[in-house]
Amino acid sequence: MKCIVLFFLIVVAAISTEAVTFTKCQLVHELRNHGFPENKLRDWVCLIQNESGGTTSKVGKVNKNGSRDYGLFQINDKYWCSNTSTPGKDCNVTCAQVLTDDISKASACAKKIYKRHGFNAWYGWRNHCQGSLPDISSC
Ligand SMILES: *[C@@H]1O[C@H](CO)[C@@H](O)[C@H](O)[C@H]1NC(C)=O
Ligand SMILES: *[C@@H]1O[C@H](CO)[C@@H](O)[C@H](O)[C@H]1NC(C)=O
Ligand SMILES: *[C@@H]1O[C@H](CO)[C@@H](O)[C@H](O)[C@H]1NC(C)=O
Ligand SMILES: *[C@@H]1O[C@H](CO)[C@@H](O)[C@H](O)[C@H]1NC(C)=O
């Protein structure tokens, strides 16, 4: 009996920490479900593909200025998410909350960043997404 309980605990732990990497079309569907406007979807997909490769749990390397970037949208802990256990900074979230497979919090924060700075807030967009954008017509 103890073994069974332990087994289930391990399975639950494994599932809850499992990272999702979204394919291009999965990203399109996720973004649509979270209310991103249709005419900017290709930019968002391009941005995410370069920033995180579509992996929700990605934590970036420490930047030169000591900050770190988190999740699908690589949200920075200097201004936007709090790297403590208490929600804070401008998005009023913890950085852990923008790493989950449910992208609600990360999306709300990304929209806030976009509203303030546009796509230029992301190097991934600036450097890769101003020429050709991904084709999502089959999604
Ligand atoms: C994003 O682009 C940079 C080059 O500017 C590259 O080094 C990096 O590997 C790309 N990231 C992904 C996830 O494709
Ligand atoms: C720190 O560096 C990151 C990535 O290079 C950048 O996004 C962020 O704006 C920088 N923050 C400050 C305060 O310079
Ligand atoms: C949290 O982020 C701040 C600012 O980027 C940094 O100075 C600090 O070392 C970080 N703390 C942890 C626990 O990573
Ligand atoms: C931040 O979020 C918490 C819930 O996570 C909420 O109780 C609090 O009022 C929010 N603070 C601000 C300034 O929006």
Side-chain angles (χ1 to χ4, degrees):
M1 188 59 194
K2 272 208 182 105
C3 276
I4 294 173
V5 172
L6 189 62
F7 174 75
F8 273 102
L9 283 178
I10 290 168
V11 169
V12 168
I15 290 172
S16 57
T17 58
E18 191 182 13
V20 171
T21 297
F22 292 121
T23 64
K24 183 176 73 176
C25 284
Q26 285 172 334
L27 272 178
V28 169
H29 293 137
E30 285 287 327
L31 294 171
R32 274 195 186 123
N33 286 342
H34 288 88
F36 286 82
E38 202 63 31
N39 65 346
K40 294 283 191 295
L41 284 183
R42 295 167 75 212
D43 287 276
W44 284 109
V45 169
C46 179
L47 180 161
I48 290 168
Q49 282 181 330
N50 185 259
E51 290 285 352
S52 64
T55 303
T56 53
S57 64
K58 175 167 175 183
V59 178
K61 290 201 207 71
V62 180
N63 298 314
K64 285 197 195 83
N65 59 29
S67 65
R68 250 184 215 271
D69 301 321
Y70 298 81
L72 209 56
F73 302 94
Q74 290 292 283
I75 289 169
N76 193 274
D77 66 10
K78 200 108 186 175
Y79 309 108
W80 303 103
C81 67
S82 168
N83 63 3
T84 68
S85 55
T86 321
K89 301 281 169 93
D90 283 13
C91 288
N92 192 23
V93 290
T94 67
C95 296
Q97 288 175 319
V98 302
L99 291 174
T100 58
D101 294 343
D102 174 348
I103 69 164
S104 305
K105 292 245 156 84
S107 298
C109 187
K111 286 180 195 169
K112 191 164 198 173
I113 297 170
Y114 176 77
K115 206 169 169 188
R116 209 171 293 169
H117 301 293
F119 286 122
N120 278 313
W122 287 272
Y123 290 114
W125 183 88
R126 279 216 303 240
N127 297 335
H128 295 276
C129 307
Q130 302 195 76
S132 67
L133 290 170
D135 179 8
I136 58 167
S137 56
S138 64
C139 298

